[in-house]
Amino acid sequence: MKLYSGPLSLFSRKVEIALHEKGLPFERIPVAFSQTRGYSPKHPEVLAANPKGQVPVLIDEDLTLYDSTLILEYLEDAYPDPALYPKAATERAQCRLLDLFADEIMLVPLRSLMHRTEPKPDDLQRWTEKEAKAREAEAVLSRHYADLDRRLGTQDFFCGAFSAADIAVFMTVFWTRRLGGPSLKEHRALASWYARLSERPSFARVTAEIRAADRDLSAPVEGAYRD
């Protein structure tokens, strides 16, 4: 099994955690990335596999897949043990909704923070304008935290047992904290859940790799990973 992955690709890292959780060996093929040029030059095999030219791309024997959620669902079908989705249809759908919430709803405001790992431009007015939008986005992310905190309640995991929803939500929360986003302090259930997952070997391994990549590739972010 091969995975084309970016060092600072949220969705690639999401897939890597799932592969580790399922105990599936894979060859990680890194693609070129820099904060100034992005994923350039695009890897030819990624371009051939994905019309969007984006990672992650998973190759399992004769099958080639892209899109992190589709990849996780394939892994569940092909390698069902240990399970990353509930068995009951209703619970499985709720798990997928949380994955969607993390990947598509939370990602919208999160994008407004992503400039923070880039070198500051010569035009500081442009940076100031981006920061103004980032502060607005942080307020939205705080509301999402509150929603997630209520959903979690007294559960250890979002779907009862550990699932793909936990992976997806964790990665978005981790990325928010990585970019100096809002603190988890006011959201006790969510903060405890985040701390527990951070200690799981698969999560600890991947987040350590991301931090190492940031040291090599990213500008320091004020307030990153604050409590």
Side-chain angles (χ1 to χ4, degrees):
M1 195 178 294
K2 297 180 180 180
L3 179 70
Y4 291 87
S5 178
L8 296 172
S9 164
L10 186 161
F11 297 114
S12 294
R13 296 300 193 165
K14 170 185 165 185
V15 172
E16 288 180 30
I17 289 176
L19 288 165
H20 292 319
E21 286 286 336
K22 283 188 171 288
L24 295 171
F26 65 98
E27 177 187 0
R28 184 175 185 272
I29 303 173
V31 299
F33 173 81
S34 72
Q35 290 289 356
T36 53
R37 300 182 63 193
Y39 291 96
S40 178
K42 294 287 183 82
H43 196 293
E45 292 188 35
V46 171
L47 286 171
N50 183 352
K52 295 182 178 180
Q54 298 172 344
V55 289
V57 169
L58 180 79
I59 299 176
D60 190 12
E61 296 184 352
D62 295 331
L63 179 66
T64 300
L65 297 172
Y66 57 92
D67 184 82
S68 64
T69 298
L70 191 152
I71 291 171
L72 262 62
E73 291 178 349
Y74 163 73
L75 292 175
E76 185 74 356
D77 291 339
Y79 307 97
D81 187 34
L84 289 182
Y85 290 85
K87 289 186 178 179
T90 300
E91 294 173 358
R92 203 175 181 95
Q94 291 293 338
C95 180
R96 286 172 169 156
L97 275 175
L98 275 166
D99 184 298
L100 180 71
F101 180 79
D103 286 2
E104 298 192 21
I105 306 302
M106 291 186 73
L107 187 66
V108 174
L110 179 57
R111 287 186 189 279
S112 294
L113 280 58
M114 290 185 177
H115 67 282
R116 290 176 173 172
T117 55
E118 301 169 2
K120 281 191 178 181
D122 294 332
D123 182 359
L124 292 182
Q125 177 62 31
R126 184 180 176 192
W127 183 269
T128 301
E129 290 170 356
K130 286 185 175 182
E131 275 300 296
K133 290 182 179 179
R135 286 190 291 273
E136 293 176 2
E138 287 178 348
V140 177
L141 287 164
S142 291
R143 291 195 291 273
H144 288 326
Y145 279 2
D147 183 29
L148 289 169
D149 194 72
R150 286 191 296 270
R151 290 193 196 194
L152 191 59
T154 59
Q155 300 179 102
D156 286 338
F157 303 108
F158 278 103
C159 298
F162 175 77
S163 72
D166 295 293
I167 299 175
V169 173
F170 178 92
M171 287 309 298
T172 306
V173 173
F174 174 84
W175 231 255
T176 301
R177 298 184 71 246
R178 170 182 171 257
L179 297 172
S183 168
L184 293 173
K185 274 186 178 179
E186 296 179 7
H187 312 286
R188 291 185 179 180
L190 189 65
S192 296
W193 164 89
Y194 183 87
R196 285 194 303 274
L197 286 189
S198 295
E199 293 176 354
R200 289 176 77 100
S202 61
F203 289 75
R205 175 177 177 177
V206 168
T207 56
E209 290 174 357
I210 295 167
R211 289 174 185 250
D214 265 332
R215 288 193 289 271
D216 292 337
L217 297 170
S218 302
V221 177
E222 183 179 353
Y225 304 111
R226 63 186 171 187
D227 292 329

